[in-house]
Amino acid sequence: MATDEWARQIAEKIIAKSQAVAARNLHKIPYTSTDGCFDDKTTSDINWWTNGFYPGMLWQLYQATKDQQYRDMAVEIEEKLDRSLFQYNGLDHDNGFKWLLSAVANYRITKNPASWNRGMLAASHLAGRFNPIGQFIRAWNDSGDGSRAGWAIIDCMMNLPLLYWASEETNDPRFAQIARMHADTAASAFVRPDGSVNHIVEFDPATGEILRTHGGQGYAQGSTWSRGQAWAVYGFALSYLHTREASYLDTAKKAAHYFMACTPESGLVPVDFRQPADCTLEDSTASAIAACGLIEIGNCVPEPEKQVYYNFAKKLLRALDENRCCWNPDTDPILQKCTVAFHDPMRETTIIYGDYFFLEAIWKLTGKELFLW
Ligand code: GLY
């Protein structure tokens, strides 16, 4: 089947399944699932970093179908997230994931001033996490002892578009300046000569000196966590889209070539590209995120180079569709075999951002996307 027709059919399957899923999950903020039923972070953890992905899916579905139910559900979650926006200790660098896909998505469509306000507050807090000496954005919090004040993680590349958006909205360049300084640091401190990336780099927060790297959610120190690699592919591509700074596209390509070279022939991606050879552990989220990044890189390069990235993105997505998607409308999640971290009990399960990025990639291929980054 020609790819365009294949992608169109997958988009139809997503829309058909999502309608049934939304109707029975009207007031939830899903993260994972048990026995095919979404959980709900509304009461268990309103600060959880993934709480923007379901509203992001709902806005993408609204964009494609104009079904008011999706919009109402997305707005309800955006309003619930105000409880998080006003909890200083509940905020971290993931403001981009939480508010770009909820409030800023709403603002892009409706120009709702309350949504703009949420986006700007989230961006201001994110900018406030910048360490000017080390020129990095601090990732996580700690319990007040400052022990992670020097920690930065590759995932943060995906939060930078909130800063680019804030500068575009206000004509105040400070937000974008911070984003670019962090991206420059990430390119030099996280990306290794072979194109693989570290998950965590620990800086001395007082001097900016690099102290050490950590394996983080990957297999071990010095290994290559596949979702971290995917965050680099997509994240640097996004910084290029916002700045047109050629070095970001080069870095995105470098990370992409490592990802493509290490992906097994099956197109199914391990949790860590350097995990032991006898370990079969997979992470479908890495494939979906990388596919989005590869498509965006493809959009930035001329033919025939473009096809290298598009073809690999399609290979990843087809492998997911054929092996790791559940299209049964009686179960809530789509993507299977999603893994939180190599050393985490939540392995090969379902995770909402897997579904989000799979949908986003298919929307990109079928011209349905509401660009949220
Ligand atoms: N940003 C955290 C993760 O990718 O699991």
Side-chain angles (χ1 to χ4, degrees):
M1 194 191 310
T3 303
D4 288 353
E5 177 55 18
W6 166 80
R8 202 189 56 73
Q9 286 187 13
I10 301 297
E12 278 181 12
K13 285 203 271 187
I14 292 173
I15 288 170
K17 173 158 175 155
S18 298
Q19 206 165 32
V21 172
R24 61 173 175 264
N25 288 285
L26 285 178
H27 306 293
K28 288 186 184 174
I29 310 178
Y31 170 49
T32 184
S33 62
T34 305
D35 298 331
C37 296
F38 276 151
D39 66 344
D40 181 11
K41 286 288 184 193
T42 304
T43 45
S44 64
D45 191 356
I46 196 63
N47 296 320
W48 190 233
W49 74 276
T50 66
N51 285 350
F53 287 104
Y54 197 53
M57 279 184 79
L58 294 165
W59 281 117
Q60 297 288 3
L61 287 160
Y62 175 73
Q63 174 78 355
T65 65
K66 296 292 177 273
D67 182 335
Q68 184 69 25
Q69 175 173 284
Y70 295 130
R71 180 170 162 168
D72 293 346
M73 289 172 71
V75 170
E76 182 179 319
I77 295 175
E78 177 186 333
E79 290 171 358
K80 283 181 177 177
L81 288 180
D82 284 352
R83 276 204 285 130
S84 182
L85 195 53
F86 291 95
Q87 278 184 57
Y88 181 77
N89 286 329
L91 298 173
D92 57 27
H93 76 130
D94 283 325
N95 288 5
F97 285 126
K98 283 157 75 177
W99 282 284
L100 270 176
L101 304 183
S102 57
V104 178
N106 186 356
Y107 175 71
R108 288 185 202 276
I109 290 187
T110 67
K111 298 288 174 237
N112 174 23
S115 299
W116 184 90
N117 189 50
R118 293 179 177 110
M120 285 306 304
L121 286 173
S124 300
H125 173 271
L126 181 57
R129 298 182 75 85
F130 186 66
N131 180 311
I133 298 295
Q135 307 227 315
F136 65 87
I137 292 173
R138 176 184 178 166
W140 298 312
N141 303 332
D142 46 48
S143 48
D145 59 1
S147 57
R148 295 202 289 196
W151 286 37
I153 69 175
I154 192 64
D155 325 25
C156 191
M157 290 302 301
M158 293 297 294
N159 290 312
L160 302 185
L162 180 63
L163 300 176
Y164 296 125
W165 171 81
S167 275
E168 287 155 18
E169 282 298 314
T170 58
N171 288 321
D172 180 340
R174 293 172 302 151
F175 301 97
Q177 286 165 353
I178 287 172
R180 291 177 74 133
M181 285 189 277
H182 179 89
D184 291 342
T185 301
S188 64
F190 285 75
V191 184
R192 306 182 186 116
D194 66 358
S196 67
V197 302
N198 288 299
H199 180 200
I200 299 171
V201 176
E202 183 178 350
F203 299 86
D204 180 326
T207 66
E209 179 197 355
I210 294 177
L211 297 177
R212 58 188 71 83
T213 63
H214 300 262
Q217 286 165 257
Y219 171 63
Q221 194 277 337
S223 72
T224 307
W225 176 44
S226 61
R227 189 163 65 252
Q229 192 70 27
W231 291 140
V233 173
Y234 199 8
F236 279 103
L238 291 170
S239 269
Y240 174 71
L241 286 176
H242 284 281
T243 65
R244 297 290 156 183
E245 167 59 50
S247 69
Y248 298 151
L249 183 58
D250 291 343
T251 305
K253 286 183 180 181
K254 200 170 161 182
H257 284 273
Y258 184 92
F259 195 104
M260 294 191 286
C262 293
T263 296
E265 196 40 51
S266 66
L268 300 170
V269 171
V271 175
D272 194 303
F273 286 123
R274 297 181 188 178
Q275 69 195 28
D278 60 356
C279 174
T280 59
L281 207 56
E282 287 175 27
D283 182 17
S284 302
T285 73
S287 309
I289 297 160
C292 290
L294 292 170
I295 293 168
E296 290 304 336
I297 295 172
N299 290 339
C300 296
V301 298
E303 298 281 8
E305 195 186 354
K306 173 177 178 170
Q307 291 311 320
V308 173
Y309 299 102
Y310 262 72
N311 287 341
F312 209 89
K314 290 171 193 167
K315 176 186 166 108
L316 293 171
L317 296 169
R318 276 186 188 263
L320 291 178
D321 170 41
E322 286 163 14
N323 303 286
R324 301 291 176 252
C325 283
C326 171
W327 296 116
N328 178 352
D330 296 331
T331 67
D332 293 339
I334 297 173
L335 220 53
Q336 314 292 305
K337 294 212 176 192
C338 303
T339 296
V340 166
F342 192 91
H343 302 286
D344 190 286
M346 275 187 68
R347 294 164 142 193
E348 299 198 329
T349 180
T350 70
I351 315 182
I352 195 67
Y353 47 84
D355 286 10
Y356 175 81
F357 285 104
F358 183 72
L359 180 155
E360 189 188 285
I362 296 296
W363 263 221
K364 285 183 195 294
L365 291 178
T366 51
K368 297 187 192 312
E369 186 189 13
L370 170 67
F371 192 77
L372 295 181
W373 304 101

